[in-house]
Amino acid sequence: MNLWIPYKRLTSIFLFCLLLEVGYSVAAPVSLKYLVDEAFIPKNLQNFAIILTILLGTGFLNICASIGGEYALGNLGGQIIKKLRIKLFTHLQRQSLPFYQTYRVGDLVTRFSADMGSVERVVRIAFPFFLKEALSVLLGLILLFSIEWKLTLAMLAGSTLMFIGPRLLQGRAEAANIHYKEAQERFTNTIDEMVKGHKTIKSLHLQARFQERARKQVHELFSFGLKLQLTNSMMERLPLISLLILNGIMIGFGGYLIFHDMMTIGDFMAFFTLFLSVGQSGSNLAYIIPNLIDSNISFRRIQEIMDHQPSVQEVPHPLELPSSLPSIRMNDVTFGYNEDSDQLRHVSLQIAARSYVAFIGTSGSGKSTALQLLSRFYDPKQGSVSMDDYDIRTLSEASLRRQSTLVTQDTFLFNTTIRDNLLLDSGASEDEMIEAAKQANIHDVIASWPDGYDTQVHHEGGSLSGGERQRLSIARALLRKPNILLLDEVTSALDPATEADINQLVDRLRSEKTIVSVTHRLSSVKNADCIYVFHDGRIVDSGTHHELLHKSNFYRNLWDKQVGFNLSQDGLYATVDMDRLNKIPFFEGIAPPLLKNIAMLCTTETCKEGENVVSEGDEGNKFYIIVRGKFEIIKRMPDGGERRVAVLQDGDHFGEIALLHNVPRNATVRAMGPSVLLSVRQEAFHRLMAEHPQILQSLEQTLQKRIR
């Protein structure tokens, strides 16, 4: 009811019209008493004319009240639902990243569709109907008591049957409704996953797996839907059965009163007609109970979202960050995505204005998490992040976003034109848009398309390649002219030529902006003013590329792992130096001339995002070296699910035992983006060992050392 309070005028009009309408419908049956006793039996034409005139006049008034009430209700219901939808949408926009990790797309879409639809039906139909029927029952009972109180009491005693049954079934109905809505969410999430991942599903031939999942979920929907329908049907039919019993009681007891001259025929006819009207209203009240239960659950599910407060909130009176280029500082920052573990531990760093700084480290070291904190997508558990002398928690989000722009490897594009995706609300001109596209090395590609910048984007950018999406996101960021440019693995999906162009662009921008780049590819940031080396959530060293090569063994090892590969400009052909092969423990001790022969056996392979290089249980017959890209190592769980156990990237290798023995793969290796590998087949390697037995001797010695 509190939804109606802000609209007092419309609510008052609706309630007044409702009162007139209900008053007429309840009073009309009473006219039978006077028509029979005062007009029909005595055959009094004058009384008949008076009663008929009153009925016609009040009937016309009832029609006007009905029309006015419907108009007020339609306007009132529309205003309430509009406000509720906007409020929910705005509340979702205010949420922090952890919220979207808790709720999946299907969960939120169901709130907006099924739950909001249920609430709308209650606001527009069920609740007004409930008020009307409840008022009809109340006024009807008052008139029934005035006609014959003994018969009314008898009917009230019997009418308890009408509400006991539905009350007993209410718990079962609520449980069935909750289960049905949860099944709807699961099916909606499957549809969302299928649509967004259709390329991966098709390339891995997973149609049967998704069909089986959908079949089970549709069967769940059928089962829970059947239970819900049967329960609601029982709740609806019980009042009708009770009403039939009550009719028998009324006719029997009413006849007794008439035969003993305790009630006139007109009284009985009026009572009978009025009771049917009141009984129907009471039955209707029981009939809408399932709708009210459904809406109550929907209200609770919507309220669950509304009660979720953002973990990153703007202070009541935020400060504005000045437009000058700020310095950045992290002071003893500790942060974890949950209470059980910390991804950053006591991290402190300083980034001067107009400097180019890189965060590097192995996967899971905390470098991307640090960048998320600089963007204020999260707040630290301990310590602070500052720009100049301002703690960013005290700044307005608008001023922070104007000054700082984050570009990630997971590029999202809106389903509109390229032009709209670039310009958005930046206020940039057409010439500025083209210049930014040229800087990001995407203008020539766009110009080659038939519709140019008016090309429509589909599936959140799925109609474009990963490199095209990435370059568009860089151009979009440049158009916003931020003072701070935060880059998170932005060259991971680019070919070597485009990566070189982006690196040159960053070098040109470093004097104009403060640039912070997170990457695992060290060659991209060797010209940075300062490189912070992350490991296990801490900064283990910092300095320029040359300084770190001399003073940091950890950095040196990372660098050595990634050098020694030669990749063509289009990224389709790669080779490896024998010196690089010598650094792989498996090939330790093999003479350089033989290493050169092994290098010549390497074949270039490319793979797309989501593609399995090897699958758990398959026969192992290849050894792989990752030239570019990132791969997740996945183990199959006993319950049939999958769990990521590690991440491999540039310079890592796997499958060396497959060169010697036909052992099954003990895990699945899946590409997390476009990638390039070098592989050596077992057959070719065996031929080489047959020609040079000393290779096998060296490998066996190496394996023995590793076992010891």
Side-chain angles (χ1 to χ4, degrees), residues 76 179 485 556 657 699:
L76 180 61
H179 290 152
L485 189 59
R556 178 77 190 192
I657 302 301
L699 291 179

Side-chain angles (χ1 to χ4, degrees), residues 289-321:
I289 287 177
N291 288 329
L292 295 178
I293 292 174
D294 176 70
S295 67
N296 183 48
I297 293 170
S298 293
F299 267 114
R300 291 209 304 261
R301 284 162 52 83
I302 292 174
Q303 193 60 46
E304 174 190 328
I305 301 295
M306 299 300 294
D307 290 341
H308 200 291
Q309 294 303 313
S311 57
V312 177
Q313 296 195 35
E314 193 169 80
V315 296
H317 303 289
L319 303 174
E320 293 293 313
L321 183 63

